[in-house]
Amino acid sequence: MRDFPSCFGENAVQIADSSSSTGSKTAQNLVACVYQCQLRGRSCLITLTWCKNLMSQGLSVGIGDSTNQSLCKVDIKPWLFSKRKGSKSVKLHDSTNIDIYWDFSSAKFGSGPEPLEGFCFAIASDRQTVLLLGDMKKEAFKKTAPTPMPGNAVFVARREHIFGKKVFYTKARFCDNGQTHDLMIECDTISTNDPCLIIRVNTKNVMQVKHLRWKFRGNHTILVDGLPVEVFWDVHNWLFGTSVGSAVFMFKTSMLHWSHSPRFRDSQSHPLGFSLILYVWNHE
């Protein structure tokens, strides 16, 4: 088996809201997304880490260069107990000035830590938008840029933490602007002497690994939307670790079919493709 690619060093799938299969569904508490952006004509990586606990929710923003060297990190205070609307100016290590603007005052949330609608988040430099998220773009442009300009940010990586017992769910798109699929991972490591791993896409079995105690790590290629998707898995901690140990899954596709797209022509520092990385906690 090949080594797992780096969670954020390459590219990622786009994900919708996710949940678990516990009796009372446990909301995931951490989602990290990485965007490849252009900052003053140079490629940079912007990482947004959304977190949620019983008391509050929060957002951490990290900016790095194309070599993953950190340029700055900004923590936005939990907005359940502080103002949900604000802005901040930051000077990067290379003396570049950026402005961060957010408005979560009307945000609606699902089971995860990310807002679903009624929000905006923007990063700008020299009055040009670098990254813009949310459905309140007009409000963001008033703060970040004099005239609306199409963004050049590309969603390149995502990591999710999901909790459950035997069955775990999420939603994913395996290509840019592609169809959203229901993704299910099923694995019973407690009630059987010979655990089996099953992965379904839109309720269809696409992969089954028997004799899991001997095959707790591996990779296999499946087809989704006619595209080859390579699945990597590591369930060692589920089988031989603690009862609440995590497994790791990666779903990686090749984007060579879209290499003609202008969005990816300048992505020289990152191989073309999407991948989804899941940390799945078998929570008993």
Side-chain angles (χ1 to χ4, degrees), residues 193-210:
N193 293 325
D194 189 12
C196 173
L197 172 66
I198 298 174
I199 293 179
R200 296 186 177 96
V201 177
N202 297 333
T203 71
K204 178 183 178 181
N205 280 19
V206 295
M207 195 183 95
Q208 182 173 355
V209 182
K210 297 181 179 180

Side-chain angles (χ1 to χ4, degrees), residues 99-111:
D99 298 306
I100 302 175
Y101 171 76
W102 65 92
D103 187 348
F104 301 110
S105 56
S106 302
K108 295 182 180 179
F109 294 84
S111 59

Side-chain angles (χ1 to χ4, degrees), residues 126-141:
D126 295 331
R127 300 292 288 172
Q128 292 185 347
T129 303
V130 178
L131 176 65
L132 177 60
L133 302 176
D135 54 353
M136 297 170 58
K137 293 182 172 58
K138 290 184 179 180
E139 289 77 1
F141 278 124

Side-chain angles (χ1 to χ4, degrees), residues 244-264:
V244 293
S246 67
V248 183
F249 296 87
M250 171 179 279
F251 298 80
K252 184 175 181 60
T253 70
S254 171
M255 282 296 292
L256 295 178
H257 298 87
W258 293 274
S259 60
H260 63 277
S261 172
R263 296 183 64 194
F264 298 101

Side-chain angles (χ1 to χ4, degrees), residues 212-276:
L212 201 58
R213 291 189 179 276
W214 298 99
K215 302 176 182 179
F216 52 84
R217 294 190 185 102
N219 60 284
H220 179 74
T221 300
I222 63 176
L223 288 177
V224 181
D225 294 333
L227 300 175
V229 178
E230 192 160 12
V231 182
F232 300 81
W233 71 90
D234 183 345
V235 297
H236 179 273
N237 287 347
W238 274 0
L239 297 167
F240 309 109
T242 64
S243 60
V244 293
S246 67
V248 183
F249 296 87
M250 171 179 279
F251 298 80
K252 184 175 181 60
T253 70
S254 171
M255 282 296 292
L256 295 178
H257 298 87
W258 293 274
S259 60
H260 63 277
S261 172
R263 296 183 64 194
F264 298 101
R265 285 176 184 165
D266 298 327
S267 302
Q268 299 177 359
S269 59
H270 297 276
L272 297 176
F274 289 99
S275 59
L276 159 66

Side-chain angles (χ1 to χ4, degrees), residues 83-153:
K83 63 179 182 178
R84 299 186 176 192
K85 182 177 181 180
S87 61
K88 191 169 188 176
S89 296
V90 180
K91 178 174 287 189
L92 305 186
H93 294 170
D94 62 358
S95 298
T96 299
N97 293 314
I98 65 168
D99 298 306
I100 302 175
Y101 171 76
W102 65 92
D103 187 348
F104 301 110
S105 56
S106 302
K108 295 182 180 179
F109 294 84
S111 59
E114 298 170 285
L116 302 179
E117 58 180 330
F119 78 100
C120 64
F121 175 87
I123 296 178
S125 179
D126 295 331
R127 300 292 288 172
Q128 292 185 347
T129 303
V130 178
L131 176 65
L132 177 60
L133 302 176
D135 54 353
M136 297 170 58
K137 293 182 172 58
K138 290 184 179 180
E139 289 77 1
F141 278 124
K142 291 178 182 178
K143 295 287 186 178
T144 61
T147 56
M149 296 180 61
N152 57 9

